[in-house]
Amino acid sequence: MRFDILTLFPGMFSSPLQESILGKAIEKGLIEIHIMNIRDFALDKHHVADDAPYGGGQGMVMKVEPIARAIESVKLQNPFAKTIYLTPQGRPFDQDLARRFSALPHLILLCGRYEGVDERVRELFVDEEVSIGDYVLTGGELAAMVLIDAISRFIPGVLGSERSAQEDSFYHSLLEYPQYTRPFDFRGHCVPEVLLSGNHSMISCWRRKEALRRTSSRRPDLLSRADLSEEDKKLLGEILHQDKRGKAGNEF
Ligand code: 4GN
């Protein structure tokens, strides 16, 4: 899969994408990332990519021509590439949207700065506006990196042969169960005995129950769209009973 990033700050992308899993995915040729500086597509002597807003007001607006030329240069190579604009006004990004985008061969990620892009960029060049959450960033760059990371995890081979994003418990609308590694006893806080039992069906049952406990206490909204078995409902009943007596309840 190919990503073309249009930004005024290309330097922001160099190290995060070269590290660890994404770096290896690029080396293996599973993903291809092209960073383009929007200023390089401005034709004037000083490569100006922003200007004052019509009607007045504070801040600067990103000009339409350099962005148009940058997008058109990518589309010349692949007319089917889809353009996404990262903005708090966009459609909320989630695991499901990440999976759907991962089926596309080529995305153009447009990163805004200042007061955003000239409205005609949206009208003429943007296929979809996406938001990574209800907060405002100084630019779309970090949001673009979030998309690339979450989407790339769905591409076969990126996570390694033994693991896939489809196996993530989030995919099944539950939060992950707690994990432990050595030592067994850290300052009196011990690993749950069941995990040392070697009894794999008991371990699976414990993990499922803890995933349900965590989800019901932290993100009850997720439980309503999880497909719960009769066994899950029994476990949830036990959890509600236990946590009513204990101090658990809503951890937030
Ligand atoms: C995206 C972009 C937040 C998001 C952004 C988000 C840059 N902030 N929640 N900042 O996905 C004005 C110009 C704000 C573009 C935008």
Side-chain angles (χ1 to χ4, degrees):
M1 177 167 187
R2 172 167 168 174
F3 299 94
D4 281 79
I5 301 166
L6 273 52
T7 174
L8 291 174
F9 297 94
M12 284 184 71
F13 292 89
S14 39
S15 76
L17 299 174
Q18 256 118 68
E19 295 291 333
S20 185
I21 293 175
L22 290 187
K24 291 203 184 71
I26 294 169
E27 275 174 32
K28 287 194 225 166
L30 297 171
I31 58 174
E32 198 180 322
I33 301 175
H34 296 253
I35 316 287
M36 308 172 78
N37 189 341
I38 294 167
R39 281 172 67 99
D40 293 344
F41 295 86
L43 295 178
D44 63 297
K45 184 169 73 172
H46 298 289
H47 298 281
V48 173
D50 60 341
D51 203 345
Y54 270 113
Q58 57 168 5
M60 297 293 267
V61 174
M62 289 171 70
K63 291 169 67 63
V64 61
E65 302 102 311
I67 294 173
R69 290 167 50 83
I71 291 175
E72 281 164 350
S73 82
V74 179
K75 294 263 182 120
L76 222 50
Q77 302 165 58
N78 178 5
F80 303 110
K82 290 276 165 270
T83 302
I84 296 172
Y85 179 50
L86 289 313
T87 163
Q89 298 165 37
R91 166 181 180 176
F93 185 63
D94 62 9
Q95 190 73 345
D96 202 52
L97 196 52
R99 186 177 42 71
R100 276 187 271 165
F101 282 152
S102 74
L104 302 175
H106 193 170
L107 291 180
I108 300 170
L109 302 175
L110 174 60
C111 305
R113 282 269 156 179
Y114 320 120
E115 306 308 312
V117 295
D118 185 301
E119 189 63 21
R120 291 162 293 185
V121 170
R122 295 176 135 128
E123 276 172 39
L124 299 172
F125 300 104
V126 172
D127 295 299
E128 189 133 31
E129 300 190 18
V130 171
S131 165
I132 63 162
D134 289 338
Y135 40 80
V136 181
L137 304 167
T138 54
E141 286 79 7
L142 289 170
M145 288 186 237
V146 166
L147 258 68
I148 292 173
D149 192 296
I151 292 168
S152 298
R153 296 177 76 259
F154 281 99
I155 293 168
V158 168
L159 292 182
S161 52
E162 72 290 350
R163 209 174 165 301
S164 90
Q166 308 279 345
E167 287 157 22
D168 291 343
S169 73
F170 214 100
Y171 180 76
H172 301 107
S173 294
L174 288 184
L175 302 182
E176 297 284 351
Y177 51 78
Q179 298 275 19
Y180 297 88
T181 187
R182 286 180 289 185
F184 170 72
D185 181 342
F186 178 70
R187 301 178 184 174
H189 294 253
C190 292
V191 176
E193 289 285 354
V194 60
L195 299 177
L196 289 84
S197 68
N199 184 331
H200 294 290
S201 69
M202 268 174 61
I203 292 171
S204 293
C205 181
W206 181 85
R207 285 179 166 167
R208 185 76 184 171
K209 188 171 179 178
E210 293 311 309
L212 288 163
R213 187 194 310 279
R214 225 164 233 198
T215 313
S216 93
S217 93
R218 298 185 183 189
R219 293 292 306 277
D221 58 305
L222 292 179
L223 272 188
S224 45
R225 53 184 169 96
D227 53 350
L228 300 179
S229 66
E230 287 309 309
E231 171 69 8
D232 290 332
K233 288 173 190 161
K234 196 194 92 193
L235 291 172
L236 269 174
E238 291 173 18
I239 290 163
L240 290 176
H241 191 67
Q242 278 175 356
D243 294 355
K244 206 162 45 194
R245 288 184 288 107
K247 58 172 166 49
N250 191 329
E251 296 175 57
F252 296 148

